[in-house]
Amino acid sequence: MLSNHLQNGIETAKMAWSRLPNADDEATDAVGIAKKSDESSVESLDYEVIENFAYWEEQAQRGKLYVWYYVVVKWFFALLIGIGTGLAAVFINLSVENFAGWKFELTFWLIQKSYVVGFLVYLLINLVLVYSSVCIITQFAPAAAGSGIPEIKGYLNGVDIHGILLFRTLIGKVFGSIGSVGGGLALGKEGPLVHTGACIASLLGQVTCGCAAGVAAAFRAPVGGVLFALEEVTSWWRSQLMWRVFFTSAVVAVVVRTAMGWCGSGICGHFGSGGFIIWDISGAQDDYSFEELLPMAVIGVIGGLLGALFNQLTFHIAYWRRNFLHKRGNRVKIYEACLVSLITSLISFGLPLLRKCTPCPEYDPKSGIECPRAPGMYGNYVNFYCSKDKEYNDLATLFFNTQDDAIRNLFSAKTSHEFSAQSLLTFLVMFYTLAVVTFGTAVPAGQFVPGIMIGSTYGRLVGIFVVNFYKKLNIEEGTYALLGAASFLGGSMRMTMSLCVIMVEITNNLKLLPLIMLVLLISKAVGDAFNEGLYEEQARLKNIPLLGSRPVYEMRRMTAKEACGRRVISFPRVVKVADVVSILQSNKHNGFPVIDHTRSGETLVIGLMLRSHLLVLLQSKADFQHSPLPSDSRGSRFIRHSLNEFVKPASSKGMSIDDIHLSSDDLEMYIDLAPFLNPSPYIVPEDMSLTKVYNLFRQLGLRHIFVVPRPSHVIGLITRKDLLIEENEDSGTMELQSTSVRARHRDKRLVTSSEESNSERPLLNGLLVRHPSA
Amino acid sequence: MLSNHLQNGIETAKMAWSRLPNADDEATDAVGIAKKSDESSVESLDYEVIENFAYWEEQAQRGKLYVWYYVVVKWFFALLIGIGTGLAAVFINLSVENFAGWKFELTFWLIQKSYVVGFLVYLLINLVLVYSSVCIITQFAPAAAGSGIPEIKGYLNGVDIHGILLFRTLIGKVFGSIGSVGGGLALGKEGPLVHTGACIASLLGQVTCGCAAGVAAAFRAPVGGVLFALEEVTSWWRSQLMWRVFFTSAVVAVVVRTAMGWCGSGICGHFGSGGFIIWDISGAQDDYSFEELLPMAVIGVIGGLLGALFNQLTFHIAYWRRNFLHKRGNRVKIYEACLVSLITSLISFGLPLLRKCTPCPEYDPKSGIECPRAPGMYGNYVNFYCSKDKEYNDLATLFFNTQDDAIRNLFSAKTSHEFSAQSLLTFLVMFYTLAVVTFGTAVPAGQFVPGIMIGSTYGRLVGIFVVNFYKKLNIEEGTYALLGAASFLGGSMRMTMSLCVIMVEITNNLKLLPLIMLVLLISKAVGDAFNEGLYEEQARLKNIPLLGSRPVYEMRRMTAKEACGRRVISFPRVVKVADVVSILQSNKHNGFPVIDHTRSGETLVIGLMLRSHLLVLLQSKADFQHSPLPSDSRGSRFIRHSLNEFVKPASSKGMSIDDIHLSSDDLEMYIDLAPFLNPSPYIVPEDMSLTKVYNLFRQLGLRHIFVVPRPSHVIGLITRKDLLIEENEDSGTMELQSTSVRARHRDKRLVTSSEESNSERPLLNGLLVRHPSA
């Protein structure tokens, strides 16, 4: 044993890490319960947690019961997240529907007397609602502006944006979106609901569940929610998580359904007649002929083009806002939002006034749709500024309505010829412009509903031509509106399967699935030819570094060595406090290799030390020692910290080295890093293709990879059969199916000695022979 | 430059690998087009392909167009798979429905004259069908027996089972399942359809797509198909693949729908009235009260218990069959299947004879269900061996029917009190026994439909009690039957989300989703307390080594070093042919490290050489050389093989060393392995926790990992920011968002020299400075 202390160091670290009851993936659960981290967060995947030795030792003894306890707690939290998100969604919808309902009721009542008074009141109500929303955001919760989806994506991709999951943000998001959506702006509440769900879930440490719950609540689409979380949000996934996420989504669906059933008797005011987007078009065409595929493909192309244009325009406007307008302070943000509100009110009230009314069609008892609709009701055929009773204003049917109702009208079946091509075109141009301008104001804003609005407008426009051209009875304009909506969302957000399922779930019609797929396929392909998806563009704008699902082409020509540009700063195992402080001050690296020396002078990498853990050690001072020699690693006296101290809070800036003040005596002391380091970070040889490194990094959700020299020899080769160890519930021993580990254990000494032909590292030999006893 | 030849070796290999146009993940696509590998197969993930240098060089120059070509081809193949699987499903259903239809028509006609003659004819037809099925399997396609799902799971998990994806197996599966299902055995055609889809897809190199297509075709459930492939089958996934899989599933849905529309006019015989399981229960209850949750939970528990029992019984019987009965040869298998057929016929014909008929209920114009059903029709209320006209035999309604129709009857709404508890119980016991006994006979056999049968029987039984107990009008026994079916499948197969979605899709009713989830959650939890899922149990029985989604508990206490038991055999870079042959003969390893020596005597691992590639080299002899010195690696003269030679066919045993015969002259020659090896396999340090190694192995779908000594120093650290390289379409240069690689390129020499404090490996220094020019 040449260098006992080096060996001890590795041993110590290894013991500490391996004694975690679920060292590699459930350390995170304990953290989840401590409400401080997220299980899907990359944070936990890199095992950047250190355990309290005695605590875990005790837990490990409790065994099965303990595992069960955690499973139950996890599921209980998933239940709570579902209930919480469902209730938040109901609250938002209830409020929005009531504000909007009162607003339109009052306005319709007033315009019977005077259009000017009606307009002024309408404008004022909108302004107040938007003003309150923008004030909440600017004064109280700045992180709640926008949709929040790019930030959540970033968080689950491993990037922590300041303040994004705070309780304050949750409150701001809920009340802010009530104001902005109730105030009639061209934005939706679906994106903010996803953020809301994530905020609620982050309180309980399961952000992925929250995302899915948000989508499930927004669209009442539990399957769509799971797929959204799977496809769009997380970068890491496993099937156990999927099932829990699905459970959460289903709980949301039950909560929302229960609440709506409860409100069905009319005790919730205007809520119940509108609200949750579920457009049941079961009365629509559920068959299609091959001639229709061409116009549907045209819808797909339009969706791709308009969607890509939308991304491009919003990117540029948001860039300008971010770098010029919003730098001038909160007052500008407030003025801006109010101005947008005024313009929106003006357009939505004013444009229908210019439109001539259309005589009502004959009443069709089959459809049961009245024309004009009864006052105070929702639905098609709005009588607005019409000279006769039996007339309706098709532009007002779209504009002078909540967006949910407008979409319902656009999707409606058995209402052919309700909208004129001219009105649809006017609406399309105006609403598209409004949506682009509104995007990026300092209010909570989703893009789903505006996207559906835009898409269903040109979809219905195409539908009008198809109905006229093919003169078939079973073609419904509403179906084309639905396909248009899918195409615009596909062209803008570039989601695929989740969007498809969401569209199917909100229309409750599985038969349209192939058609929705067709337009999505086309619109996504067309959009991809121009730019990235909306969320990726916005994330780029916000400097959120998202790792895409596949490496870029250039990486094929690069090696691992070429990618790591920073100079690496290593720590020795026992380091002087003053050195730690000066190194932490001199750079911003988050991880440091720890290197120890054998007595023969050789070096050996013994692990990875995190900045955050170093800061904890510096702050507590409990592990400072006078001697520059390693502390004795035998026994369990050496960790004086509890697990929680080392766990990074889910969303915070954490400590900074500047917050730590040490006396000059302290600076002269030493720390033995061995118990606190991660003893086996992932390594890659220096000339590995960067593509491979990228896959490793992303698939495992890592934060640090060591690039090391090519190894001098191979100790062993692990293949599938080596990993087929059967779980044995009764004892700590293990059984192998094809090759017995137990037999191998017996042969260990033999194997080790025969393999270790390279005798340059005697200490490793000793280490490895001794380890099984640990 | 101390050791020019070593450096050249690494360079050569690196160039060869990195010049693959899509070196890291689309090498596999080219292979897919060569129809020889599967893109989700682990095969390709480990990059065990070697490229033809000149060929790829040429391709790389074609650039974008070339990439587009491959994308188009891939999607076209997905389309073909969808069409093929859809047509296969239609063919199977058409045949089964017609055989079964003729059979029942003839039998019903005969029993009007004589029950004995009717029974004998019924028995004979069943026997002939089953006999033909078992003959096809035993004589022609033995790999087509059983459901095939465990084997496909194994294949996508990285284990190649002989013959599982051959064209012969496809034919056997299609015709075999027509016989076995048409012959009235207690098994389904859904599992075999998944296998059929996979076989079709493997012809085009996309097995994952085929699996999803099979499920989509079996249940007309495209979303369920994708989730099935995602959750149950593949061990590796990415969102691009998901979208293509989804596309395939949707194509299947369109093909099936088109075919059924075409058959709607009656030109397909009996097909159209039964067949594809789509049980539209839209007329059923879509609301539930909280009191009902208790009986639903009871259904979940029953499902878990009966499902786990089913797994246990089938495991033991299959074990006995495998190790005793079926070892006696094909004749025993044929006798066995015929015996099972006779018993099944006897029970399904005989038991209803013992049952007293029930008087018909009053005709309800709302439901439109006639009692007894008209002769030659399908539906409820079968008049069989009844003394009066206005009577029906409830046991015959279940037994003397195709399984699809029996399930439709069990699920049917508005037919309360159709079945007596006694009949349901009799049916449950008998059918459960038959299903257990039938499972494992040498015919294609799915477990979905029998599972649904069993589940819906006890579900309906519980439903009868609930209806009687709560006396509410809106409770339908059919809904409970559906929940029962979900619970049994959950308890037996342990699928979660995919099963949930499949159940929703086949019933076309999204409103029951939370209830289905509830019973699934319970039944899976109950079942998991006893044993593993059906497919896992069967895979274990068949010695298919599946890697579970999470590492077993014991791995936490093990290190990488402890797992790799085999003695590692390394090759030098230039190796004598005789040595290669003797090493390949002396062991069965599939991968060998290649180690080179510097002139100073140090060793360096330069890559991984595969057995299969060595065999190709030995067989072709084109790369043999007389000199024991490395061939010159400059220029492109050195690879005389085309890509296809090195690609492993999707399903074959491949070559063996015994097939290769070399002259003594050949044996005296040398091979330079450098151009053919994988230059950077994944490496782990020897004392890394085995849990981490497992995650690496499974998440990246690897086949070999090198276990190496702890590195002596760290060359660099790769973090998220280092991997944020923006794709640049116009040139080969790259841009970085946060830190510029270009700037880094300029500083490379500086960085390299400053980092390389360890100057023990001068050759690496040289290598790395030179590489960017390659």
Side-chain angles (χ1 to χ4, degrees), chain B residues 453-652:
Chain B
M453 280 285 261
I454 293 167
S456 52
T457 308
Y458 67 73
R460 186 127 189 161
L461 204 55
V462 174
I464 289 178
F465 290 110
V466 176
V467 168
N468 285 336
F469 189 75
Y470 288 120
K471 304 270 182 214
K472 279 193 184 176
L473 281 174
N474 68 340
I475 292 179
E476 283 283 355
E477 292 171 8
T479 308
Y480 282 79
L482 170 73
L483 295 178
S487 76
F488 187 79
L489 293 179
S492 164
M493 294 173 185
R494 313 283 159 79
M495 288 150 56
T496 53
M497 187 164 155
S498 50
L499 188 55
C500 217
V501 173
I502 290 173
M503 293 308 290
V504 167
E505 285 192 277
I506 62 178
T507 56
N508 204 7
N509 195 338
L510 282 164
K511 289 170 184 164
L512 293 176
L513 185 64
L515 299 180
I516 292 173
M517 267 207 61
L518 175 78
V519 297
L520 272 182
L521 211 63
I522 296 172
S523 67
K524 182 176 149 66
V526 171
D528 278 339
F530 293 99
N531 49 29
E532 279 186 289
L534 185 67
Y535 299 134
E536 283 75 24
E537 293 274 0
Q538 293 299 317
R540 195 145 61 92
L541 190 74
K542 292 177 179 176
N543 289 323
I544 301 169
L546 296 179
L547 289 185
S549 68
R550 54 167 64 192
V552 298
Y553 194 89
E554 278 75 16
M555 289 190 181
R556 296 197 182 103
R557 301 188 198 131
M558 295 175 70
T559 62
K561 163 91 184 170
E562 287 174 90
C564 48
R566 304 187 310 187
R567 203 169 170 281
V568 179
I569 297 158
S570 307
F571 281 114
R573 176 181 165 180
V574 183
V575 63
K576 204 172 173 186
V577 173
D579 292 346
V580 175
V581 172
S582 76
I583 288 175
L584 291 186
Q585 278 169 343
S586 71
N587 65 56
K588 292 187 166 184
H589 300 184
N590 284 314
F592 303 91
V594 180
I595 288 177
D596 209 354
H597 291 263
T598 63
R599 279 178 201 170
S600 63
E602 257 186 289
T603 59
L604 212 55
V605 179
I606 62 168
L608 169 75
M609 192 71 205
L610 294 181
R611 170 181 284 262
S612 57
H613 294 175
L614 282 172
L615 290 175
V616 172
L617 292 179
L618 289 182
Q619 199 179 37
S620 82
K621 301 178 195 175
D623 279 284
F624 288 4
Q625 59 184 36
H626 288 286
S627 148
L629 294 173
S631 61
D632 177 31
S633 63
R634 295 284 151 257
S636 60
R637 56 126 226 106
F638 53 82
I639 299 182
R640 299 186 192 85
H641 296 91
S642 82
L643 173 64
N644 289 344
E645 287 181 62
F646 287 100
V647 174
K648 186 172 167 291
S651 192
S652 84

Side-chain angles (χ1 to χ4, degrees), chain A residues 10 21-24 26 47 157 222 226 230 238 240 242-243 246-247 250 254 257 287 496-497 500 508 510 513-514 517 521 540 545-547 549-550 552-559 561-566 568 591 603 605-606 678-683 686-689 691-692 696-697 699-700 703-705 707-720 722-728 733-734 744-745 755 764 768 771, chain B residues 10 21-24 26 47 157 222 226 230 238 240 243 246-247 250 254 257 287 496-497 500 508 510 513-514 517 521 545-547 549-550 552-556 558-559 561-566 568 591 603 605-606 678-683 686-689 691-692 696-697 699-700 703-705 707-720 722-728 732-734 737 744-745 748 755-756 764 768 771:
Chain A
I10 296 176
N22 298 307
D24 271 352
E26 300 197 6
Y47 318 120
N157 201 279
V226 177
L230 166 59
R238 65 166 67 204
Q240 285 91 342
M242 178 155 86
W243 188 217
F246 193 32
F247 172 71
V254 173
R257 189 190 144 282
D287 206 349
T496 52
M497 187 162 156
C500 216
N508 204 7
L510 283 163
L513 185 63
M517 269 208 57
L521 211 64
R540 195 145 61 92
L546 295 181
L547 289 185
S549 68
R550 53 167 64 193
V552 299
Y553 194 88
E554 276 76 15
M555 290 193 181
R556 298 198 180 102
R557 300 186 200 133
M558 294 175 70
T559 62
K561 163 90 184 171
E562 287 174 89
C564 48
R566 304 188 309 186
V568 179
T603 59
V605 179
I606 63 168
N678 173 352
S680 48
Y682 286 98
I683 59 173
E686 55 186 337
D687 49 0
M688 182 179 263
S689 153
T691 322
K692 274 175 135 171
L696 173 66
F697 200 90
Q699 294 277 335
L700 297 182
R703 302 194 75 182
H704 300 100
I705 290 181
V707 179
V708 299
R710 272 185 182 271
S712 65
H713 66 288
V714 175
I715 291 177
L717 223 151
I718 292 185
T719 60
R720 165 172 299 270
D722 298 317
L723 295 174
L724 282 168
I725 299 166
E726 289 242 333
E727 189 118 31
N728 191 321
T733 61
M734 55 221 87
R744 232 183 266 166
H745 266 275
E755 276 172 15
L764 276 174
L768 286 156
H771 179 252
Chain B
I10 297 177
N22 297 308
D24 272 353
E26 298 196 8
Y47 318 120
N157 201 280
V226 177
L230 166 59
R238 64 166 67 202
Q240 285 90 343
W243 187 218
F246 194 32
F247 172 71
V254 173
R257 190 191 144 283
D287 206 348
T496 53
M497 187 164 155
C500 217
N508 204 7
L510 282 164
L513 185 64
M517 267 207 61
L521 211 63
L546 296 179
L547 289 185
S549 68
R550 54 167 64 192
V552 298
Y553 194 89
E554 278 75 16
M555 289 190 181
R556 296 197 182 103
M558 295 175 70
T559 62
K561 163 91 184 170
E562 287 174 90
C564 48
R566 304 187 310 187
V568 179
T603 59
V605 179
I606 62 168
N678 173 352
S680 50
Y682 286 99
I683 59 174
E686 55 186 337
D687 50 358
M688 181 179 265
S689 153
T691 323
K692 274 175 134 171
L696 172 67
F697 200 90
Q699 294 276 335
L700 297 183
R703 302 195 75 183
H704 300 98
I705 290 180
V707 178
V708 299
R710 271 184 183 272
S712 66
H713 66 287
V714 175
I715 291 177
L717 225 153
I718 292 185
T719 60
R720 165 172 300 271
D722 298 316
L723 294 174
L724 282 169
I725 298 166
E726 289 240 334
E727 189 118 31
N728 191 321
T733 62
M734 56 221 85
Q737 210 160 8
R744 231 183 267 166
H745 266 274
K748 188 176 303 297
E755 275 172 15
E756 294 281 330
L764 277 174
L768 286 156
H771 179 251

Side-chain angles (χ1 to χ4, degrees), chain B residues 217-230:
Chain B
F219 303 103
R220 297 182 66 191
V223 182
V226 177
L227 290 174
F228 177 82
L230 166 59

